[in-house]
Amino acid sequence: MEERAMRRMICMFAFMLSVLSMEAGDIAKIVNIFKEGKVLDGAGNMDSEVDIAVPGAKNKGTGADAATVLNRFFESVKPTGFTVLHHADRNETGFIVGKLSTDNGEFRVNITYVTKDNNVLMQSIRIE
């Protein structure tokens, strides 16, 4: 019985260490960008290089370039809601899969991000 209890304690300790080693990113700012339909602070929510694909445009460039492409997309469709369908993060990276509701229909959104200095920065954005 002692060996079983020791194994249980080791498993609990390993689980606690794995949970503590995860650095979850606060995705609220990203979610708000898609709910409100604009990148409020330009490239502030973008990594230094961003791969972006929206209907009618693809670009791999600076965060400011990606913010411009995303804002142009939001000018063509007005968001009415954004729902996170799936979200996962591990250490300093993560991804979001969401549904963007607009006045022009629904779009599937895939975002990958990195957490740097407690800021969640988008690295890739796909809207289909």
Side-chain angles (χ1 to χ4, degrees), residues 81-101:
F82 183 76
T83 305
V84 175
L85 301 174
H86 188 68
H87 168 235
D89 54 13
R90 177 80 176 155
N91 297 326
E92 66 276 346
T93 63
F95 69 92
I96 302 166
V97 177
K99 179 176 70 172
L100 175 64
S101 300

Side-chain angles (χ1 to χ4, degrees), residues 31-37 74 77-84 98-103 105-107 109:
V31 170
N32 285 335
I33 286 171
F34 287 89
K35 278 184 179 178
E36 296 170 6
F74 288 140
V77 298
K78 303 297 180 218
T80 58
F82 183 76
T83 305
V84 175
K99 179 176 70 172
L100 175 64
S101 300
T102 72
D103 62 353
E106 291 183 347
F107 295 87
V109 179

